[in-house]
Amino acid sequence: MDSLPTRAAISRFAVPDIATLPQDMQDMIATVQEKSGFVPNIFLALAHRPAEFRAFFAYHDALMDKDEGLSKAEREMIVVATSGLNRCQYCVVAHGAILRIRARDPLIADQVAINWRKAPLGARHKAMLEYAELVALDAEEITEDDREELAEAGFTQDEIWDIGAIAAFFGMSNRLVNMADIPPNEEFYTLGRDPRK
């Protein structure tokens, strides 16, 4: 009989003790831990490179924490769809949990990650994810017609930029996570699965 799998390491690279990190990074990690109840592995895995840690999370937050334009659920939908295309288990699982919570839908993340075209989405979201997929896989093919289609679907120029920037940023993030072999925290798998909560 095969033995049960052991819990994976957080990264193939060095993971420093939180107590040894600069105070601003300790504070950021403590805030995330207080909000979620655990420390997402990406914070620990990037902590050995403080300048990159700060730059990564500053750009992440600039894209994902806006209150204007795209909804926070739409932003997470882009992450989950493009991360599925890029075969990034960490981002599909982690951002899938956030999408389930923000959309208040326990099924949507799995549907979008596997094949957003088969998910029960309206025309606006399908147009958004079609453009995000183009950015993720064939950015050199983008034309003014693609942007015009999004405008016709009701997106502003700022929202079109955000769709593209989120898909591009997470393309980098997906590759970084896969390169470092960062596994999703077990806690992410069950978040947002119960529609009654």
Side-chain angles (χ1 to χ4, degrees), residues 117-139:
R117 286 177 174 82
K118 299 291 185 184
L121 302 174
R124 172 183 165 89
H125 288 152
K126 287 191 175 183
M128 176 183 80
L129 295 182
E130 186 168 356
Y131 187 73
E133 180 174 311
L134 194 56
V135 172
L137 301 180
D138 295 300

Side-chain angles (χ1 to χ4, degrees), residues 7-20:
R7 189 169 182 149
I10 290 173
S11 175
R12 290 191 186 279
F13 296 86
V15 177
D17 186 312
I18 293 173
T20 67

Side-chain angles (χ1 to χ4, degrees), residues 78-93:
I78 295 164
V79 177
V80 172
T82 56
S83 297
L85 294 168
N86 291 324
R87 297 184 301 214
C88 180
Q89 185 181 67
Y90 183 94
C91 292
V92 167
V93 173

